[in-house]
Amino acid sequence: MPEIRRLGCRPADELPRIRHFSDNTQQVFLELVKKNIMNAIPAPKVSKPKIEIFKSEELQAISEVLKTNSTYRRYYLLFLLTINTGMRLGEVLGLKRKCVFDDYVVINNSLQDINGKMVDTPPKTAAGEREITITRDLSSD
């Protein structure tokens, strides 16, 4: 038997004692944790950041710059789609032609940056997959 102890193994006759020790430890632990001590400490107040929304004049100014500036003109349609539908940036960037119809768009994917690579991913929840109505003005642009 001394050879077994040297290798870190326990003889079979010590197993009941180990099990008993383990059961006792669990019982003592459960006695100590009958009451959640964290309930006595008040949770810190978390303030939500104020969301600022663009005013209509600001959106008009951005729209004019995107329409007239040759550098930014290519973003005009993305801008219109975003402000008129409320789509997230990843949803707009992941939009495919087959998902755009005359009066609505189908959202069933999104483009996300994962470890430095842009990956086309499905929505995280069923609510993320949806149809969004678009106006005639938007669909004609």
Side-chain angles (χ1 to χ4, degrees), residues 65-135:
V65 169
L66 292 176
K67 239 193 255 185
T68 57
N69 186 303
S70 60
T71 305
Y72 299 118
R73 188 175 300 140
R74 62 182 164 182
Y75 302 116
Y76 180 66
L77 193 56
L78 294 176
F79 172 75
L80 279 182
L81 192 60
T82 304
I83 64 167
N84 285 298
T85 63
M87 291 170 60
R88 297 175 186 94
L89 181 60
E91 293 171 339
V92 172
L93 296 175
L95 203 57
K96 295 179 174 71
R97 178 64 189 113
K98 65 181 181 181
C99 297
V100 179
F101 299 93
D102 287 338
D103 54 351
Y104 68 98
V105 292
V106 176
I107 306 298
N108 58 11
N109 67 317
S110 133
L111 201 60
Q112 294 182 1
D113 181 350
I114 299 177
N115 298 327
K117 291 186 178 184
M118 296 309 283
V119 180
D120 193 17
T121 59
K124 294 177 189 168
T125 64
E129 197 165 318
R130 61 200 188 280
E131 292 179 0
I132 299 177
T133 305
I134 56 176
T135 63

Side-chain angles (χ1 to χ4, degrees), residues 46-63:
V46 179
S47 61
K48 292 182 181 177
K50 184 180 177 188
I51 297 173
E52 293 188 32
I53 299 171
F54 284 110
K55 295 180 176 111
S56 133
E57 300 84 32
E58 294 170 324
L59 291 174
Q60 189 63 37
I62 294 169
S63 177

Side-chain angles (χ1 to χ4, degrees), residues 15-28:
L15 286 177
R17 196 174 74 173
I18 293 169
R19 279 195 200 107
H20 176 70
F21 174 76
S22 175
D23 291 344
N24 270 351
T25 304
Q26 187 175 7
Q27 286 172 353
V28 168

